[in-house]
Amino acid sequence: MACAAVVVSGFLRSSVGAICTQAASLRLTPSALRHLTLASIMKSKKKTDHLERTANVVRREVVSAAKVCGAASESPSVKRLCLLVADKDFSFKAGQWIDFFIPGVSVVGGFSICSSPRLLEQERMIELAVKYTNHPPALWIHNQCTLDSEVAVRVGGEFFFDPEPSDVSRNLVLIAGGVGINPLLSILRHSADLHRERANKGSGYEIGTIKLFYSAKNTSELLFKKNILDLVNEFPEKIACSLHVTKQTTQISAELKPYITEGRITEKEIRDHISKETLFYICGPPPMTDFFSKQLENSHVPKEHICFEKWW
């Protein structure tokens, strides 16, 4: 499902539903982790594999044991997964993905984290949302994964938003297609955390406005609708969203209707948000990311302000 090719802004620095109860200590030993990682890398040879596609992308060296502590259906085709990662050396930046190593599955998965780094800091948990496909890691998550299943994870990716407190304030435009919402939801949640921190402490990074454009086939496939609208309602002066559906056949609920547009995200909608203070993050199928990144370049947005990630 998730094999990424990334072009990332030069502006960005290269530095480094229910709450799960605390799980028992993980049983994967360091030697078992090494064996699992090496065996998966040796066997994961196909050109369509995540490791092959991302071979030249920056990764952390740390491979950490993780345990499944929660799972639920996010949509008819997407399963949400909560992982407990006890290793204190494990960290990530909002927008990054993980290499996902599964005992007994030779192919390595690649899935964007959809939770905020703050959740990991506070509760040692990360969240994923994985679409059903015939890719072995996705099949395992949908058909075999259970509570307390043990896996191993490693962070990678050059698509992220990780400002320092003293950095210049930026507006964000987030453009998502399908499960491409995952890294952008992480960025949205992280931005909300930064705004809360500044409001509470009177210091820290000052986030500008954030506009999310998100397109899916229908409202049942718009992932994390409640989470997104909760943030819009919590920070109406900062966060706004435009949710698009391309093949809606049922009635749209009254709660969603004010935010829904039937049809694809348009070039004009995006162009209306261009400014010198705005960064654009795009994640979705390759034709979508190619189209919007090219349109933004044609509108004279600096390349270093356009960040995109393609998902196959």
Side-chain angles (χ1 to χ4, degrees):
M1 162 198 154
C3 301
V6 182
V7 173
V8 69
S9 152
F11 163 79
L12 298 174
R13 214 168 357 272
S14 61
S15 63
V16 167
I19 298 299
C20 306
T21 55
Q22 186 173 2
S25 60
L26 305 181
R27 295 189 294 275
L28 283 174
T29 64
S31 61
L33 279 174
R34 284 194 299 272
H35 175 76
L36 171 60
T37 306
L38 289 172
S40 297
I41 290 172
M42 295 274 297
K43 293 176 182 177
S44 195
K45 294 291 188 183
K46 295 181 182 178
K47 290 291 183 183
T48 54
D49 282 348
H50 165 69
L51 289 183
E52 183 72 25
R53 290 189 184 275
T54 61
N56 297 320
V57 178
V58 174
R59 284 173 162 80
R60 297 282 305 274
E61 292 185 3
V62 177
V63 177
S64 302
K67 179 176 285 189
V68 175
C69 62
S73 293
E74 183 61 32
S75 82
S77 65
V78 175
K79 188 170 184 179
R80 189 172 71 249
L81 207 63
C82 182
L83 299 176
L84 178 70
V85 189
D87 183 359
K88 295 294 174 53
D89 291 329
F90 179 90
S91 64
F92 74 98
K93 301 169 187 174
Q96 289 187 303
W97 41 256
I98 54 169
D99 295 330
F100 193 81
F101 301 96
I102 307 164
V105 177
S106 62
V107 178
V108 177
F111 305 115
S112 283
I113 300 168
C114 59
S115 51
S116 169
R118 187 67 51 89
L119 181 66
L120 179 66
E121 292 167 8
Q122 294 179 343
E123 304 188 40
R124 301 312 307 167
M125 287 185 288
I126 62 172
E127 293 180 349
L128 312 174
V130 179
K131 188 176 180 67
Y132 181 89
T133 69
N134 288 325
H135 194 242
L139 280 176
W140 181 87
I141 287 170
H142 278 263
N143 297 334
Q144 294 177 255
C145 171
T146 62
L147 285 178
D148 295 332
S149 288
E150 294 180 350
V151 296
V153 293
R154 176 176 60 193
V155 170
E158 299 159 353
F159 177 88
F160 56 79
F161 180 62
D162 184 43
E164 292 291 336
S166 59
D167 284 348
V168 63
S169 179
R170 297 284 185 176
N171 302 323
L172 302 182
V173 172
L174 312 177
I175 307 170
V179 290
I181 187 63
N182 283 327
L184 300 183
L185 181 64
S186 179
I187 290 172
L188 183 64
R189 285 169 158 169
H190 182 50
S191 300
D193 286 337
L194 292 173
H195 186 55
R196 291 188 192 100
E197 183 177 17
R198 184 174 175 86
N200 292 335
K201 295 183 178 179
S203 62
Y205 181 73
E206 183 176 2
I207 191 74
T209 61
I210 307 162
K211 181 63 181 274
L212 169 67
F213 293 93
Y214 177 22
S215 177
K217 182 172 66 175
N218 53 51
T219 53
S220 68
E221 292 295 343
L222 284 168
L223 310 180
F224 305 107
K225 295 181 288 290
K226 183 180 186 304
N227 304 97
I228 292 167
L229 295 185
D230 283 349
L231 291 175
V232 170
N233 292 325
E234 184 179 358
F235 303 114
E237 79 288 0
K238 285 288 183 182
I239 300 174
C241 72
S242 178
L243 307 177
H244 289 245
V245 291
T246 57
K247 296 180 180 179
Q248 185 73 21
T249 58
T250 59
Q251 186 172 357
I252 298 170
S253 69
E255 180 188 17
L256 277 180
K257 205 157 192 175
Y259 305 96
I260 295 289
T261 299
E262 297 201 45
R264 298 184 184 279
I265 303 166
T266 66
E267 176 189 351
K268 182 183 183 304
E269 287 177 286
I270 305 304
R271 193 169 58 239
D272 288 346
H273 290 271
I274 292 174
S275 76
K276 64 181 181 180
E277 297 85 15
T278 300
L279 301 178
F280 293 85
Y281 286 83
I282 312 164
C283 188
M288 175 186 172
T289 58
D290 289 342
F291 175 79
F292 284 115
S293 59
K294 186 65 175 176
Q295 293 302 320
L296 287 168
E297 286 185 37
N298 290 343
S299 297
H300 308 295
V301 175
K303 284 187 177 182
E304 62 268 22
H305 287 186
I306 305 168
C307 315
F308 66 83
E309 186 153 75
K310 301 178 183 180
W311 290 90
W312 285 264

